[in-house]
Amino acid sequence: MKADVCIIGGGPSGLLLSQLLQLQGIDTIVLEKYSREHVLGRIRAGVLEHGFAELMREAKCGERMDREGENHKGFYIAHDNALDSGGMDHVDLFKYSGGSTVLVYGQTELTRDLYEARDRLGGKVVHNAEDVTPRDLDTDKPYVSYRDGDKVIRVDCQYVIGADGFHGVSRRSIPKDVLREYERVYPFGWLGVLSRTKPVSPELIYCKHERGFALCSLRSQVLSRYYIQVPLEDTTEDWSDDAFWAELKRRVPQAIADGLITGSSIEKSIAPLRSFVAEPMRYGRLFLAGDAAHIVPPTGARGLNSAASDIYYLYHALIDRYKKADDTGLDAYSARALARVWKAQRFSWWMTTLLHRFPNNIPYDDKLQQTELAYLLSSEAAMRSLAENYVGLPF
Ligand code: APR
Ligand code: PHB
């Protein structure tokens, strides 16, 4: 088989790039390790910045997102010192970002839209591709092999995109002496519950509480998503639905606990929190994008949004290569992408540090954390910084 660009990974990054490139007449093939049902069974975060939404529209798959997604102009931070304001303070994203908002639309739905758009254009997406292996990346004739049952299939291409997530094969194909990895693992995880209940608040509530962080989020007016910080050793078996709701109620302001509609969980999972960056994001003809190159803790909803700029830079760089024989964008890709990636890392680390309970903190650290929050809530400059990062820095 042949394609201009072979994309490893059929998550949102790989699908979006393949769709954008095909609309420009650049031929792609996507190799995905799992079935479509499996990919669409994953529950991930649901807050999109407008730069990402704009790319979805350019890829001609923004229609349902625009119809069903909710524009949010702000969110709340609940904390122990907000007793005067009902236990929480409002962050006015719209005001402090100079008129921007975020779009609440589930990543699972977005991935479904991308698959349907790929189907409509007759895009090549191979599912259950086993043993995907990128080869000869440091030559100008790279190829990718994969196994379909007993058959080994070879895809000859000009460029390989590694969009196969944190556990994928692409990053591991870069020689160890070339790749540098930066990582911080946090001493807790998030236990998440999805329930078919009316959300407790029209806007998200991030809760800083001495028992640990909690988040009230939503997918739609009938689908809620809630999280609580839990120790890393915990498993979902340790948390019955009743225990989850009881703990969530302890961590949110009283009025929110009173208004919380509980129900049986339709999904329950624990995700560890990690910050991770691999540098460089290019090796020869291989370009890494999205979770394959970087991971953020979910606190600032930067995960998918951090992938968006990679896709944007790669998309434009590949158009320049194919339409103008200009390699400047490809040559600058790693440095440009990493500059924005690190800003998303900084913001996610900051918001995680601000709102969680760190088991090994000394009393001094706790005081500084309280002061950081008090400063944020009292300073327009700090609020503007939070808002501009949350709605998404420019690409
Ligand atoms: N070969 C082929 N495909 C693979 C391989 C492999 N060896 N390993 C993993 N994959 C597939 C996964 O099954 C998955 O569908 O690559 C895809 C990667 O998708 P994601 O992990 O979703 O990563 P990405 O597309 O970069 O999405 C960005 O933003 O909100 C965050 O983590 C969240 O998924 C989200 C990410
Ligand atoms: C979610 O709805 O899953 C969500 C929202 C905001 C976050 C993280 C996760 O910061």
Side-chain angles (χ1 to χ4, degrees):
M1 277 204 275
K2 269 193 167 45
D4 294 331
V5 179
C6 179
I7 298 175
I8 305 177
S13 301
L15 292 171
L16 178 56
L17 183 64
S18 93
Q19 175 74 2
L20 287 164
L21 292 177
Q22 188 169 345
L23 288 168
Q24 296 292 329
I26 300 168
D27 182 34
T28 66
I29 181 164
V30 175
L31 303 178
E32 164 58 49
K33 183 174 181 177
Y34 297 104
S35 68
R36 188 187 285 210
E37 296 69 47
H38 179 97
V39 175
L40 291 175
R42 297 183 186 127
I43 307 289
R44 297 257 173 92
V47 176
L48 304 180
E49 61 184 40
H50 278 277
F52 190 93
E54 209 37 67
L55 277 177
M56 286 290 286
R57 291 182 198 110
E58 187 159 350
K60 300 204 186 319
C61 23
E63 207 184 293
R64 192 161 72 101
M65 174 190 78
D66 282 328
R67 202 172 53 244
E68 295 179 12
E70 286 184 19
N71 255 311
H72 281 212
K73 289 183 167 179
F75 61 82
Y76 292 93
I77 297 181
H79 58 102
D80 312 343
N81 295 326
L83 295 175
D84 300 347
S85 46
M88 51 197 203
D89 283 293
H90 191 238
V91 175
D92 190 337
L93 288 175
F94 188 77
K95 172 175 161 195
Y96 289 116
S97 68
S100 264
T101 57
V102 290
L103 195 59
V104 171
Y105 186 63
Q107 197 177 308
T108 311
E109 297 312 308
L110 178 144
T111 311
R112 192 186 305 282
D113 297 344
L114 284 163
Y115 270 121
E116 284 172 8
R118 297 283 45 223
D119 289 347
R120 281 199 298 278
L121 282 189
K124 280 177 266 169
V125 182
V126 177
H127 281 282
N128 305 308
E130 292 174 73
D131 300 338
V132 172
T133 313
R135 297 185 194 265
D136 291 356
L137 295 169
D138 53 353
T139 72
D140 57 5
K141 289 195 175 54
Y143 68 98
V144 180
S145 63
Y146 69 95
R147 205 164 47 73
D148 175 7
D150 294 339
K151 271 187 300 178
V152 174
I153 297 166
R154 171 180 170 133
V155 181
D156 288 290
C157 56
Q158 281 149 357
Y159 298 98
V160 180
I161 308 298
D164 48 352
F166 183 67
H167 300 287
V169 64
S170 300
R171 189 179 67 251
R172 283 184 276 122
S173 314
I174 300 181
K176 282 210 161 35
D177 58 341
V178 174
L179 196 71
R180 174 125 194 231
E181 298 184 336
Y182 301 84
E183 183 171 44
R184 173 181 291 270
V185 177
Y186 299 84
F188 40 74
W190 277 18
L191 167 63
V193 158
L194 189 68
S195 75
R196 224 175 278 293
T197 49
K198 185 174 158 45
V200 70
S201 159
E203 290 184 344
L204 273 64
I205 309 174
Y206 290 87
C207 308
K208 175 182 183 298
H209 192 274
E210 60 183 18
R211 296 181 66 89
F213 170 82
L215 170 63
C216 305
S217 181
L218 64 151
R219 292 289 175 275
S220 72
Q221 283 314 308
V222 291
L223 202 54
S224 300
R225 182 72 165 156
Y226 297 103
Y227 298 94
I228 55 173
Q229 172 185 349
V230 293
L232 271 181
E233 310 75 66
D234 282 14
T235 65
T236 47
E237 285 78 55
D238 299 327
W239 288 93
S240 65
D241 287 358
D242 286 347
F244 175 83
W245 294 120
E247 185 58 30
L248 179 65
K249 284 185 179 179
R250 285 192 196 105
R251 297 186 190 185
V252 300
Q254 192 57 49
I256 298 298
D258 293 345
L260 189 73
I261 301 171
T262 61
S264 52
S265 59
I266 52 178
E267 196 264 356
K268 191 189 282 167
S269 52
I270 295 186
L273 267 68
R274 183 198 305 269
S275 298
F276 173 87
V277 182
E279 293 188 357
M281 286 172 62
R282 173 194 190 166
Y283 173 68
R285 292 286 178 117
L286 170 72
F287 294 82
L288 300 179
D291 276 20
H294 42 80
I295 297 278
V296 284
T299 324
R302 293 296 81 206
L304 187 56
N305 297 304
S306 184
S309 48
D310 299 350
I311 301 306
Y312 177 88
Y313 297 138
L314 266 180
Y315 167 49
H316 287 281
L318 286 164
I319 292 180
D320 287 349
R321 156 89 307 252
Y322 281 97
K323 304 231 153 141
K324 301 188 222 149
D326 175 359
D327 279 341
T328 329
L330 287 175
D331 290 341
Y333 171 69
S334 180
R336 278 179 89 189
L338 283 165
R340 190 173 189 270
V341 159
W342 274 109
K343 289 180 189 152
Q345 291 281 323
R346 185 203 71 82
F347 179 64
S348 306
W349 158 83
W350 173 79
M351 210 160 148
T352 302
T353 309
L354 179 72
L355 297 173
H356 288 75
R357 206 184 88 73
F358 283 74
N360 296 326
N361 263 8
I362 54 173
Y364 181 87
D365 298 332
D366 290 335
K367 276 285 186 191
L368 271 193
Q369 190 191 33
Q370 289 160 18
T371 309
E372 180 77 26
L373 184 58
Y375 168 63
L376 168 70
L377 296 172
S378 66
S379 158
E380 292 222 348
M383 276 290 195
R384 268 201 291 279
S385 166
L386 164 60
E388 82 164 346
N389 280 279
Y390 197 92
V391 302
L393 295 172
F395 291 164

